[in-house]
Amino acid sequence: MLFHDVTPGPHETQLRFRLIHFWEAWNPLKKTLIGLEMLLIDEQGSVIQGFIPPSRIERHLPKMKSGSLYKLNNFYGSSNKTVYRVSDHAVTMSFSWNSELSVLEDSPTPFDEDRFRFHSFEDFQASCDHKGDLCYHTHHL
């Protein structure tokens, strides 16, 4: 399955991707861990946001390294958040209770290294009052 085929709901299939970057998401008011957010790219260059709930981080984090290739069996497609989005895709790929993450060895298909660029604080500040997304459409650089 490719990212453009991911829809809301459970999926008992396999995704293959490069893990571009991951980070912890915290609730700043309650000082609690929301989960692990990820930015992923598939073999067609499509980018999707990934999410691991706090209860599943310990199981998967030891295998995770930015830039590495993975295959994931079983996941849940959830509607993308309207704020703090990091990809254009309407769905976030969330790890579910039966998700199995493993390193993808010897992929016959090349995966792009990334498809994002950094923006300055001034770029974001200039867009913050437009009541739209602060994420930019992805482009090959």
Side-chain angles (χ1 to χ4, degrees):
M1 177 178 251
L2 297 167
F3 289 164
H4 65 76
D5 298 319
V6 176
T7 56
H11 294 271
E12 293 183 1
T13 186
Q14 185 178 97
L15 284 177
R16 298 181 329 169
F17 57 84
R18 180 182 301 279
L19 175 61
I20 297 175
H21 188 65
F22 63 93
W23 62 96
E24 292 179 344
W26 287 84
N27 180 320
L29 300 176
K30 297 179 182 178
K31 308 286 190 232
T32 55
L33 180 64
I34 297 170
L36 201 65
E37 297 279 357
M38 301 173 290
L39 189 60
L40 315 170
I41 190 167
D42 71 7
E43 53 205 75
Q44 287 191 334
S46 296
V47 176
I48 198 170
Q49 188 166 345
F51 179 75
I52 303 177
S55 61
R56 300 187 182 110
I57 292 174
E58 192 174 302
R59 177 178 173 196
H60 298 290
L61 185 59
K63 301 175 196 158
M64 295 171 56
K65 180 181 174 194
S66 292
S68 294
L69 300 178
Y70 296 93
K71 55 186 175 182
L72 178 71
N73 291 315
N74 307 316
F75 62 95
Y76 190 86
S78 54
S79 295
N80 213 335
K81 303 171 188 77
T82 54
V83 293
Y84 307 119
R85 258 185 355 160
V86 296
S87 78
D88 293 332
H89 201 293
V91 177
T92 294
M93 185 277 303
S94 299
F95 282 49
S96 53
W97 66 272
N98 61 343
S99 293
E100 290 294 333
L101 180 71
S102 56
V103 175
L104 178 59
E105 305 283 351
D106 304 322
S107 173
T109 307
F111 285 74
D112 287 346
E113 289 294 321
D114 61 52
R115 224 176 126 190
F116 68 97
R117 60 188 243 214
F118 292 99
H119 293 276
S120 69
F121 174 75
E122 290 77 19
D123 289 341
F124 283 108
Q125 192 174 34
S127 299
C128 72
D129 292 328
H130 295 155
K131 297 187 178 172
D133 287 335
L134 291 179
C135 75
Y136 290 80
H137 294 283
T138 53
H139 302 283
H140 283 291
L141 297 178

